[in-house]
Amino acid sequence: MPACVRPVGYMPRQTHECDAAVLVRQHLAEFLGRCDERAGPLPEFVKGELEGFAGCGDLELGFVRTCCRTGGDELRVPFACKSRGFCPSCMGRRMAEGAALLVDHVLPAVGYRQWVLSFPGPLAVRL
């Protein structure tokens, strides 16, 4: 049997190593402590979003191992936070899936045009 051909240029997302995730991971406990002292505790859903983002894409927090049946190649895919409001990687994936759903199942198969309307500086701020 022929081996599977790996996609050329496949690069898994490196969510766990992005600058924002590193900063959140390093300072989250201190930030939550300061919030508790000064303004009261943050809502639980906000804490959950921040903690999820800090661990998004971390192989140590869990992964799925996929294996090609014909070629035997293995790939470890880390779990994502599936956040709705903070993680840019998960939000981008969610937006792409939403757009694909609209194109495949909702919008009719006709040609579309995109129009952009822009206004000069001060007027744009007011609008």
Side-chain angles (χ1 to χ4, degrees):
M1 276 190 233
C4 293
V5 179
R6 280 185 185 242
V8 177
Y10 173 74
M11 184 69 166
R13 294 178 292 152
Q14 300 296 326
T15 310
H16 187 66
E17 297 167 1
C18 77
D19 293 340
V22 171
L23 284 171
V24 169
R25 238 184 346 272
Q26 288 175 349
H27 301 288
L28 182 59
E30 180 184 348
F31 173 72
L32 293 176
R34 285 186 180 181
C35 284
D36 288 343
E37 292 171 4
R38 295 181 182 174
L42 288 174
E44 288 301 317
F45 74 93
V46 175
K47 288 181 186 177
E49 288 277 332
L50 290 170
E51 290 167 354
F53 175 59
C56 185
D58 187 1
L59 288 169
E60 293 179 6
L61 297 177
F63 61 89
V64 174
R65 190 178 90 200
T66 61
C67 182
C68 177
R69 292 182 182 176
T70 57
D73 289 339
E74 290 187 8
L75 180 66
R76 294 184 308 163
V77 181
F79 292 142
C81 66
K82 298 180 183 166
S83 153
R84 292 181 180 252
F86 198 77
C87 180
S89 178
C90 292
M91 284 179 11
R93 180 181 43 82
R94 195 177 286 269
M95 284 188 293
E97 288 173 356
L101 174 76
L102 287 174
V103 169
D104 293 343
H105 300 289
V106 177
L107 297 173
V110 296
Y112 290 95
R113 258 189 204 168
Q114 178 178 352
W115 291 83
V116 177
L117 179 62
S118 60
F119 296 96
L123 187 57
V125 172
R126 286 185 178 177
L127 294 175

